[in-house]
Amino acid sequence: MAKIKKLLIANRGEIARRIMRTCRQQGIATVAVYSDVDATLPHVHEADQAVCLGPAPARDSYLVIDKIIAAAKETGADAIHPGYGFLSENTELAAACEKAGIIFVGPNARAIEVMGDKAAARQLMAASQVPVLPGFDEEGARDEDLIAASTTVGFPLLIKAVAGGGGKGMRVVNDAAEFNEALAAARREARSAFGDDRVLLERYLPAARHVEVQVFADNHGNVVHLFERDCSVQRRHQKIIEEAPAPGLDEATRNAFGEAAVQAAKAIDYRGAGTVEFLYSPASGEFFFMEMNTRLQVEHPVTEMITGEDLVAWQLSVAAGETLPKAQEDIHRHGHAMEVRLYAENPEQGFLPSSGLLSHLRWPHEHARVDAGYESGDRVEEYYDPMIAKLICYGEDRDAARQQLITALQNLELSGIHHNTPFLLRVLADDAFANADLDTRLLEHRPHLMEASSAAPELLALAASRILAASDQAGTQDNPWQSLSGWRPLGQRFQLSQLQVDDAVLTVREQDGHAAVGEQSHALALALQEQGFRLHWGAHGLQGRYSVIDADTLLLFVDGQAHRIVRNPSRDSAQHGAEGGFVAPMSGTIVALHVEPGSHVNSGDAVITLEAMKMEHTLRATVPGRVHDFHVAAGDSVSEGTLLVEFEADIEA
């Protein structure tokens, strides 16, 4: 057995940092790799050594096997861990490592190849007595063969790319009239994504749960499972929330899942960490093999939390030729764990990926395990998967874990890009999720979860006014002039503040414990504690967190949403924001400028058109105002969050 002394991690972001954490505990030196745009990310400076792989596109850097092997040789790394994504299930990397005499922390190339072909995997599992869905997986099937087979498989059915994953090349077909169009679309998408347009057919379960089992095997014939996870909450066939153990299963069903997963691993002489994924029908109690991922999963932390095991440490041990750390009877589970994936995306725009500067970021480490790829001041680039981090919480039971995760997300402070925190909070608080009424179409059944909500601007203004006043008092106790915070006509003391709340400008008037915004006036009370606030204004309430940026600017974080507040805004600070359309909502190319600098526009007038992802997006004024200076011209490429044009909203006298 060759002990690993130096490990190259052929990945980036949070999984690279996660692997490094275990390596530090075991005294293993680490080598990071990075692209040009990732040079300043945490995983680079936390490693013992780092090697640049080249330009930002993954095809020119993270996916170039020759560069990965060369970096390992250059730094003297004796092992390579692929993480997940990129080259983690690539047979060529596994073979290249073997040829170079480098330990590959993963299964052998044959296991990767077999399980990477969905049709071959189905056939092998069926032959190994692992239950599979009724379907059609004939090699090289023509369109007419698939059309004929569809009636035998029955509707609804799923067309699925043989070489696919992540929801690409996948179409649900409800009846024969839809089949031809769906087949053509699935083939096109599979060819574009994987260079392979082969597809198979499977019976579609419209009310199924996604349940998967963590398996581990060594080179000495030992195979175990570390229980199951439920990953049913998904968007576009991609997981959002994962938990372990899967709720609502009896012990006989749990054992059956584990035994089937172990049988699947034995069928391919597996080695290392793997996940066998099943579709489970709560109505019938049946489950069916879906696929096997021959790598560590994104959601592995929930298994670690309920078992107390370090799965990366297990991977390194097995790769070095050791036997599994524990036998099946020695692996136990306790409590419940739940994980959310924090994405840079806009759920209200079809989960469109977001990119840009993380201008303010504070992780809630005191409430959750945080596996993050970024820190405050880092940039999320459009070249890679938009996942920013994972937040994982543990509880004695499912509801305790869920409530702890809600608390963690409420204490997260994130500003600068679109992200899915408010959406995650809505799902976690939803009755169906709270009651574990789960299936893979939860978001379709609960369309209200896609409806964004925001705190009332009046309440945000009141909270900001009081917080800024408290900040003034704390910073100016020795200055009697600055501590005079109001004016006193006819013996009455007033406090007047004009505040820009996101894109709205409001005036707050306070007097003798009461506050007025517009026509509303109520008694006001605000309590501050450890960067948190709780406000009561008459019958209205608001709570959240805050961060003072400067003397007149702060961020309020309410229900996962960041709100920027500016006191006494000037024209420069009151520029139109994303809702008005003058900050780029996504990365793209400027197509047209519709008005001249200095022009007055009305609400709804087109100002600028941006092309992104082969679609044009016309940005319009949401309030009347005057366009001042354009910062871009037609043909310019821009990143999300770029200021495109300065705008001054009309303020009524």
Side-chain angles (χ1 to χ4, degrees):
M1 293 182 291
K3 179 174 173 56
I4 296 172
K5 298 178 180 177
K6 182 182 287 189
L7 180 72
L8 183 143
I9 303 161
N11 219 298
R12 64 188 294 278
E14 62 90 13
I15 184 56
R17 298 178 81 188
R18 161 69 190 93
I19 295 166
M20 288 176 194
R21 187 161 67 243
T22 291
C23 287
R24 282 193 294 272
Q25 294 169 354
Q26 296 197 351
I28 298 172
T30 56
V31 180
V33 293
Y34 62 95
S35 68
D36 291 341
V37 295
D38 282 349
T40 60
L41 288 187
H43 81 275
V44 177
H45 60 72
E46 289 177 3
D48 296 296
Q49 292 174 266
V51 178
C52 181
L53 296 177
R59 65 178 179 274
D60 298 323
S61 51
Y62 294 105
L63 293 177
V64 183
I65 293 173
D66 288 347
K67 291 184 177 182
I68 298 292
I69 298 297
K73 290 181 176 179
E74 174 190 337
T75 57
D78 51 4
I80 292 176
H81 195 308
Y84 42 71
F86 290 143
L87 296 169
S88 62
E89 294 177 285
N90 186 288
T91 57
E92 293 180 14
L93 176 61
C97 285
E98 183 177 0
K99 182 178 179 181
I102 297 170
I103 296 171
F104 178 68
V105 183
N108 58 53
R110 177 185 173 274
I112 296 174
E113 182 177 6
V114 170
M115 286 304 178
D117 185 309
K118 299 296 185 289
R122 266 181 55 88
Q123 294 161 6
L124 180 60
M125 292 301 101
S128 303
Q129 306 304 308
V130 177
V132 298
L133 281 164
F136 179 76
D137 51 29
E138 184 178 297
E139 178 67 28
R142 301 167 300 171
D143 285 3
E144 50 266 38
D145 300 324
L146 292 160
I147 292 168
S150 66
T151 57
T152 304
V153 174
F155 296 96
L157 61 76
L158 187 68
I159 303 174
K160 192 164 149 183
V162 167
K168 297 182 178 67
M170 190 178 291
R171 291 291 186 280
V172 176
V173 185
N174 292 301
D175 56 53
E178 302 175 3
F179 187 83
N180 290 8
E181 182 180 343
L183 175 60
R187 282 201 188 275
R188 280 196 308 271
E189 194 168 272
R191 185 164 50 247
S192 174
F194 313 113
D196 184 343
D197 70 353
R198 291 177 299 147
V199 297
L200 58 83
L201 308 181
E202 280 185 344
R203 176 75 56 79
Y204 179 66
L205 300 180
R209 285 169 55 181
H210 182 137
V211 178
E212 62 187 31
V213 180
Q214 177 72 62
V215 294
F216 247 98
D218 61 24
N219 288 315
H220 307 279
N222 302 304
V223 184
V224 300
H225 69 82
L226 289 90
F227 311 109
E228 81 289 341
R229 304 183 283 251
D230 191 294
C231 308
S232 298
V233 183
Q234 304 177 3
R235 53 100 169 99
R236 298 198 309 264
H237 302 289
Q238 294 178 321
K239 303 164 189 173
I240 307 171
I241 302 176
E242 299 105 347
E243 56 184 300
L249 303 184
D250 58 44
E251 286 305 310
T253 303
R254 293 188 198 281
N255 292 336
F257 269 116
E259 290 168 4
V262 167
Q263 182 61 31
K266 288 180 175 178
I268 57 171
D269 192 24
Y270 197 69
R271 182 194 75 180
T275 300
V276 186
E277 304 196 347
F278 299 94
L279 283 176
Y280 169 63
S281 172
S284 67
E286 297 176 292
F287 61 86
F288 305 93
F289 172 82
M290 184 165 54
E291 64 182 3
M292 182 176 184
N293 290 308
T294 53
R295 53 173 166 79
L296 196 66
Q297 291 279 86
V298 175
E299 57 271 22
H300 76 273
V302 295
T303 296
E304 293 184 323
M305 282 197 158
I306 67 165
T307 61
E309 304 296 335
D310 182 334
L311 299 191
V312 173
W314 278 47
Q315 283 188 296
L316 298 175
S317 174
V318 168
E322 299 175 14
T323 57
L324 290 176
K326 289 186 176 181
Q328 188 68 65
E329 59 270 20
D330 299 321
I331 304 170
H332 305 284
R333 71 173 192 270
H334 306 278
H336 202 96
M338 195 173 289
E339 168 183 298
V340 293
R341 301 189 188 192
L342 181 64
Y343 282 111
E345 64 184 12
N346 189 340
E348 288 75 47
Q349 290 190 3
F351 297 99
L352 188 70
S354 182
S355 59
L357 179 69
L358 300 173
S359 55
H360 178 89
L361 174 56
R362 180 189 174 277
W363 295 117
H365 290 292
E366 66 274 28
H367 299 288
R369 167 177 164 176
V370 180
D371 285 11
Y374 302 89
E375 300 295 342
S376 189
D378 291 331
R379 286 191 64 85
V380 177
E381 301 290 350
E382 62 265 28
Y383 303 100
Y384 313 115
D385 184 272
M387 190 169 72
I388 305 170
K390 304 174 307 196
L391 275 64
I392 313 101
C393 289
Y394 174 86
E396 288 302 312
D397 56 33
R398 183 177 188 269
D399 196 60
R402 183 181 69 89
Q403 293 289 354
Q404 185 65 17
L405 199 45
I406 289 172
T407 299
L409 287 170
Q410 289 174 334
N411 282 272
L412 168 67
E413 299 177 11
L414 175 56
S415 177
I417 59 169
H418 294 292
H419 56 92
N420 65 338
T421 304
F423 166 73
L424 292 171
L425 282 167
R426 293 197 296 272
V427 176
L428 289 169
D430 184 69
D431 288 343
F433 182 84
N435 295 324
D437 184 9
L438 306 173
D439 70 59
T440 57
R441 300 174 64 193
L442 177 70
L443 300 185
E444 296 177 43
H445 305 321
R446 316 286 285 177
H448 63 276
L449 295 175
M450 302 307 303
E451 298 173 3
S453 60
S454 185
E458 295 83 1
L459 298 179
L460 294 168
L462 290 164
S465 177
R466 281 288 179 93
I467 293 169
L468 287 170
S471 179
D472 291 343
Q473 188 173 17
T476 60
Q477 291 178 354
D478 297 329
N479 188 328
W481 299 108
Q482 293 188 25
S483 65
L484 298 175
S485 58
W487 58 283
R488 189 191 300 267
L490 301 177
Q492 299 286 328
R493 181 165 183 150
F494 295 89
Q495 172 74 42
L496 289 175
S497 301
Q498 189 178 62
L499 299 127
Q500 180 192 340
V501 180
D502 296 327
D503 298 324
V505 177
L506 303 172
T507 299
V508 174
R509 181 175 181 268
E510 294 188 57
Q511 178 186 0
D512 298 333
H514 282 67
V517 182
E519 300 299 319
Q520 297 189 69
S521 179
H522 304 286
L524 176 66
L526 181 81
L528 301 179
Q529 185 177 14
E530 295 182 0
Q531 300 303 113
F533 71 89
R534 186 184 297 271
L535 175 142
H536 294 281
W537 187 48
H540 307 285
L542 188 72
Q543 64 181 21
R545 296 184 60 80
Y546 70 91
S547 178
V548 177
I549 305 303
D550 58 42
D552 291 309
T553 309
L554 82 161
L555 294 170
L556 297 183
F557 302 92
V558 179
D559 293 330
Q561 183 66 50
H563 301 274
R564 186 172 185 268
I565 320 292
V566 180
R567 181 170 57 183
N568 301 323
S570 65
R571 181 179 70 80
D572 287 339
S573 64
Q575 290 160 358
H576 224 52
E579 290 187 6
F582 302 131
V583 171
M586 64 200 78
S587 299
T589 302
I590 301 301
V591 175
L593 312 179
H594 298 288
V595 298
E596 297 292 329
S599 300
H600 187 275
V601 295
N602 294 313
S603 177
D605 285 353
V607 176
I608 197 165
T609 294
L610 173 75
E611 183 184 83
M613 298 185 178
K614 299 181 180 179
M615 295 181 65
E616 290 190 356
H617 305 265
T618 297
L619 312 181
R620 302 175 184 275
T622 58
V623 295
R626 189 169 301 280
V627 172
H628 286 280
D629 299 309
F630 282 98
H631 291 250
V632 293
D636 287 353
S637 295
V638 297
S639 297
E640 180 181 356
T642 301
L643 178 65
L644 306 178
V645 58
E646 294 184 21
F647 178 83
E648 182 179 9
D650 292 344
I651 300 177
E652 296 182 4

